[in-house]
Amino acid sequence: MAKRGGFPGGGMPGNMANLMKQAQKMQRQMEEQQKELESKEFTAAAGGGAVEVTVSGKREVMKVKLAEEVVDPDDIEMLEDLIVAAVNEALRQVDAESGAAMSKLTGGLGGGVPGMF
């Protein structure tokens, strides 16, 4: 009686081997993209440039620059809000670049499959 299931010769079929090679190549490319992203800096401003924040691709705040006129001891809340707004915008820039790089690599492979890319 013939054995059912599996592949002749016990190895991976050609298509599966090619898929594995492609997946490994894509993984290397994604790691390279991640390193490149982490080395970049993203700067955003709020309050017409009164507050400027720079974050790294690792999502770490690197620098906060404040215009002298925005430092008002009687209105600390406004300064706090401007800093939050600038940090959030800089982080959105990191996310946008990361998403664009991933989309470029995957070429839309995710195709709406939950949990994929």
Side-chain angles (χ1 to χ4, degrees):
M1 179 177 238
K3 204 174 179 186
R4 294 189 137 180
F7 298 105
M12 283 193 264
N15 286 343
M16 183 61 93
N18 285 339
L19 282 174
M20 290 298 292
K21 286 180 185 177
Q22 288 176 343
Q24 289 170 345
K25 180 181 176 185
M26 187 178 293
Q27 183 175 2
R28 282 191 304 274
Q29 290 174 330
M30 290 189 330
E31 289 169 359
E32 290 170 10
Q33 285 284 338
Q34 185 64 34
K35 285 180 186 176
E36 185 179 323
L37 177 70
E38 288 176 358
S39 70
K40 292 184 176 183
E41 291 185 353
F42 301 83
T43 301
V51 173
E52 189 175 279
V53 174
T54 301
V55 299
S56 72
K58 291 181 182 182
R59 303 176 62 86
E60 296 172 342
V61 176
M62 305 298 291
K63 182 171 71 173
V64 176
K65 184 177 175 185
L66 306 174
E68 195 173 308
E69 64 271 8
V70 79
V71 183
D72 180 355
D74 295 327
D75 196 0
I76 298 295
E77 191 174 317
M78 179 192 67
L79 178 56
E80 292 170 341
D81 290 344
L82 291 173
I83 292 171
V84 168
V87 168
N88 286 334
E89 178 55 32
L91 292 175
R92 277 191 285 277
Q93 290 176 17
V94 174
D95 290 343
E97 179 141 343
S98 177
M102 188 61 63
S103 179
K104 182 179 166 188
L105 275 179
T106 62
L109 267 181
V113 178
M116 191 170 177
F117 307 114

